[in-house]
Amino acid sequence: MTYCVAVRVDQGLVMLSDTRTNAGMDNIARFRKSFTYHVEGERAITLLCSGNLSITQGVKTMLSRAIREAESDPEVETILNCDTMHRAAQLVGDAMRTMQGRYRESIAMDGSAASASIMIAGQRKGGKPRLYLIYSAGNFIEATEDTPFFQIGEHKYGKPILDRIIQRETSLEDATKAVLVSMDSTLRSNLSVGMPLDLTVIETDMFDFRVRTRIEADNEEFAMISQGWSAALRKGFEDLPNVLD
């Protein structure tokens, strides 16, 4: 299992993912689920992946192969040269559909699930920051003012803080804190989600990564956020009125 969360606010985009992959109680491994792409001064993009690892790795390989081919053949369309972020989401969806068509039946015959989800977030010069969620069938939806964040994987534990905090006018700093608290809540409640974490922040009209870092288990700032949130919850609980005499 995994947990990935992405937020779109007026000031930019925040993306966070864990690295644990669980294929059974005795088969736990670490795999990166967040991937970044950048054209200096022109666009910055992040992909976050959840679900069947062979499917999502295949999608990423197809996207990377196209980028390499475009270096010698400018006619090859890629997520780094397409006209819009919407078209980038279509290219990811096309790759997802190809991988599902190629392997879904054989994966199912083996008794495994082929379902996968990918979020693509980014901004290109001349466009606004965009966030899309691509499903297994290759279709996708875009984050809106009413729904400014997406989650994939083990999402239920980390959703309440996002529902309460994230709005389009939320600052980039507060949005980052919110996704870190969301991840911390998930880590505490589900063993199939685990450290380290990959955090990416794209500031509006920067066309680069304001933050692109890995958060290890001994990270002091993340520990302070975790401890501070726990203390705030305990204090808030203690302050609630009693309902029993």
Side-chain angles (χ1 to χ4, degrees), residues 10 30 52 97 116 127 169 188 193:
D10 288 343
R30 294 194 331 187
N52 186 285
R97 194 157 39 248
E169 63 270 17
R188 286 176 173 268
V193 178

Side-chain angles (χ1 to χ4, degrees), residues 26-214:
D26 59 349
N27 188 12
I28 296 174
R30 294 194 331 187
F31 284 92
R32 178 179 289 274
K33 302 163 191 176
S34 176
F35 306 94
T36 58
Y37 305 84
H38 179 228
V39 177
E40 186 174 357
E42 202 278 328
R43 74 183 66 192
I45 296 173
T46 299
L47 294 185
L48 299 102
C49 306
S50 173
N52 186 285
L53 188 61
S54 64
I55 294 294
T56 56
Q57 284 190 344
V59 170
K60 179 182 176 296
T61 298
M62 291 183 65
L63 298 174
S64 297
R65 183 184 301 120
I67 291 171
R68 290 195 301 272
E69 292 174 352
E71 293 176 357
S72 57
D73 183 359
E75 295 299 315
V76 176
E77 189 178 28
T78 78
I79 62 173
L80 289 184
N81 65 19
C82 59
D83 290 338
T84 64
M85 283 300 302
H86 185 272
R87 179 55 183 158
Q90 287 181 326
L91 293 174
V92 177
D94 290 346
M96 174 75 83
R97 194 157 39 248
T98 297
M99 292 301 299
Q100 291 287 349
R102 186 176 298 168
Y103 296 113
R104 188 176 188 88
E105 184 176 349
S106 58
I107 291 173
M109 288 178 61
D110 193 46
S112 301
S115 297
S117 301
I118 294 178
M119 294 188 290
I120 178 171
Q123 184 183 16
R124 55 171 290 278
K125 193 171 184 178
K128 297 180 180 180
R130 301 289 189 185
L131 168 60
Y132 299 90
L133 171 57
I134 293 100
Y135 298 105
S136 290
N139 57 319
F140 57 87
I141 58 174
E142 182 179 3
T144 65
E145 292 183 12
D146 294 327
T147 307
F149 66 87
F150 288 141
Q151 302 165 281
I152 55 177
E154 190 56 77
H155 63 272
K156 55 184 177 292
Y157 303 105
K159 191 171 186 293
I161 181 64
L162 302 176
D163 286 333
R164 287 180 166 86
I165 297 297
I166 301 300
Q167 302 176 40
R168 59 169 294 181
E169 63 270 17
T170 302
S171 70
L172 208 55
E173 290 77 12
D174 284 349
T176 302
K177 284 193 292 185
V179 300
L180 290 170
V181 169
S182 176
M183 180 64 74
D184 178 65
S185 299
T186 306
L187 290 169
R188 286 176 173 268
S189 299
N190 194 301
L191 292 176
S192 68
V193 178
M195 304 283 280
L197 313 175
D198 289 311
L199 174 66
T200 307
V201 179
I202 300 173
E203 187 172 349
T204 298
D205 295 336
M206 184 177 178
F207 312 114
D208 202 345
F209 301 99
R210 176 172 170 179
V211 175
R212 182 168 47 175
T213 189
R214 172 155 287 194

